[in-house]
Structures are given as structure tokens and as C-alpha cells.
Amino acid sequence: MKIVYPAIFSKKEDGSGYQAYFPDLEGCTAEGPEIEDAADQARAAATDWILVEMEEGNDLPELSHADDLMLEKGQIVKYLTMTIQLVPGYE
């Protein structure tokens, strides 16, 4: 199963890299020295977040519409795809 959520990226205040958060996935954040590293870490964090929600039987949040994302100066949005592999028999 493939799931796509927007992640918002910005440079860290101390300039040491990038940080990312998912506006739709409460508390799901990541960082990395380069933006692609931060994206890889964000994808892994979101995959874990989604798996926990699914294991607990919770519905996944709706995907934010691009027009609803409020960006601050210097922030960018990347739509990241997470691939979730369900165990056979999992519902």
C-alpha cells in the first residue's frame, strides 16, 4: 500500500541542516544534514507513525489540500510516498 502525505521542510535555525514535519501526522518530525537526508528520515518516521496508527486500529488522517498548507518564508513542501507492507491476514 502506498500512502502520500505532505511534509514541510525548513532550514534549522542553527544552520546545521533541515527539519521536517507532517502537518497531518501529529508529532511526526525528522531532520537531516541535507534536505534529501531529512526527506529520507521523514519518510521513515511517517512509515512508523502510520504503522502504529494502523496497529491500534485508528483511521489515518485525511491528506491536507495544498491550498490549506500555511508556509512560512523559506519553507518548502514535498509530498512523500510511504510504502506500507501489510502482513498477510492483517485487516
Side-chain angles (χ1 to χ4, degrees):
M1 163 191 314
K2 293 192 183 288
I3 300 173
V4 177
Y5 278 106
I8 298 177
F9 293 82
S10 58
K11 271 198 149 303
K12 292 173 70 176
E13 287 184 22
D14 65 5
S16 65
Y18 291 85
Q19 56 194 11
Y21 75 93
F22 291 87
D24 301 319
L25 309 179
E26 186 177 339
C28 188
T29 64
E31 57 183 54
E34 300 294 331
I35 197 158
E36 286 308 317
D37 298 314
D40 289 342
Q41 294 299 319
R43 193 174 290 107
T47 298
D48 290 344
W49 193 100
I50 291 166
L51 285 171
V52 168
E53 290 299 304
M54 293 174 78
E55 287 171 0
E56 293 179 356
N58 298 326
D59 291 332
L60 296 179
E62 294 282 326
L63 174 70
S64 288
H65 189 277
D67 293 338
D68 294 332
L69 298 174
M70 305 297 278
L71 300 179
E72 296 177 11
K73 185 177 180 176
Q75 290 183 323
I76 62 168
V77 175
K78 285 179 156 275
Y79 285 83
L80 301 181
T81 302
M82 282 60 69
T83 302
I84 308 298
Q85 294 182 335
L86 299 177
V87 176
Y90 180 86
E91 298 193 25

